[in-house]
Amino acid sequence: MDVVVVPTTGGEALAGPNGIRILEDGSNTGHRIGFLEARLPPGSGGPPQHIHRAHSETFYVVSGTMRFTSADRDVDVAAGGVVTAPIGAPHTFSNPDPEEWAVFVCALAPDLYIGYFREMTALAARDGRVDHDAVLAVMARYATEPYRSGS
């Protein structure tokens, strides 16, 4: 068979509370796109607001509600909604629902940021805590920087 199939329980599962599962790491797409699935616990925050300089992200909300923030604007997106963060757009996300998990899939084009998730999982595996400066260092390796108003 010439196509690549990832079964329901397949992919590369990364340790951690968000249940990140890498469905396509770019190795089958000439690194043009990566694809992952993740879960956000009820009421949880996401990463610090940031800007990608070399890849875009498109999020599809599978279940629950996700809050997306870009600069000073928030929008809540229910299951079935899609949000794209193009290169250079400040963004972050969270789960504003106090009771329901949010599940999303994310396409990364190109696949550059897949390595970020692997590195962050390895950092957190040491003792469960991740140093802020270590996070910034990993982000920088993937052409990503924290958002600062006026950036």
Side-chain angles (χ1 to χ4, degrees):
M1 180 176 256
D2 292 333
V3 299
V4 177
V5 176
V6 178
T8 303
T9 58
E12 177 186 347
L14 301 180
N18 293 348
I20 295 173
R21 188 167 62 114
I22 298 171
L23 303 171
E24 170 56 57
D25 67 1
S27 61
N28 297 301
T29 66
H31 300 284
R32 289 181 303 277
I33 191 166
F35 197 67
L36 62 84
E37 174 189 66
R39 299 165 31 98
L40 292 175
S44 67
Q49 196 163 178
H50 55 279
I51 297 171
H52 302 298
R53 298 295 184 191
H55 76 277
S56 63
E57 292 178 320
T58 298
F59 301 85
Y60 174 76
V61 181
V62 175
S63 64
T65 298
M66 291 179 64
R67 177 167 294 147
F68 290 89
T69 302
S70 181
D72 61 355
R73 183 170 172 239
D74 294 330
V75 62
D76 288 350
V77 180
V82 173
V83 173
T84 296
I87 291 172
H91 65 284
T92 189
F93 53 86
S94 61
N95 178 356
D97 192 297
E99 297 178 11
E100 185 178 358
W101 282 76
V103 177
F104 67 94
V105 292
C106 182
L108 304 114
D111 68 336
L112 176 68
Y113 221 51
I114 294 292
Y116 166 84
F117 293 104
R118 288 176 173 148
E119 283 198 48
M120 289 304 300
T121 298
L123 278 176
R126 293 181 189 156
D127 65 3
R129 294 177 302 218
V130 180
D131 176 72
H132 179 72
D133 290 336
V135 172
L136 293 179
V138 173
M139 290 174 98
R141 282 196 290 280
Y142 294 95
T144 299
E145 60 198 50
Y147 170 71
R148 291 176 181 82
S149 182
S151 296

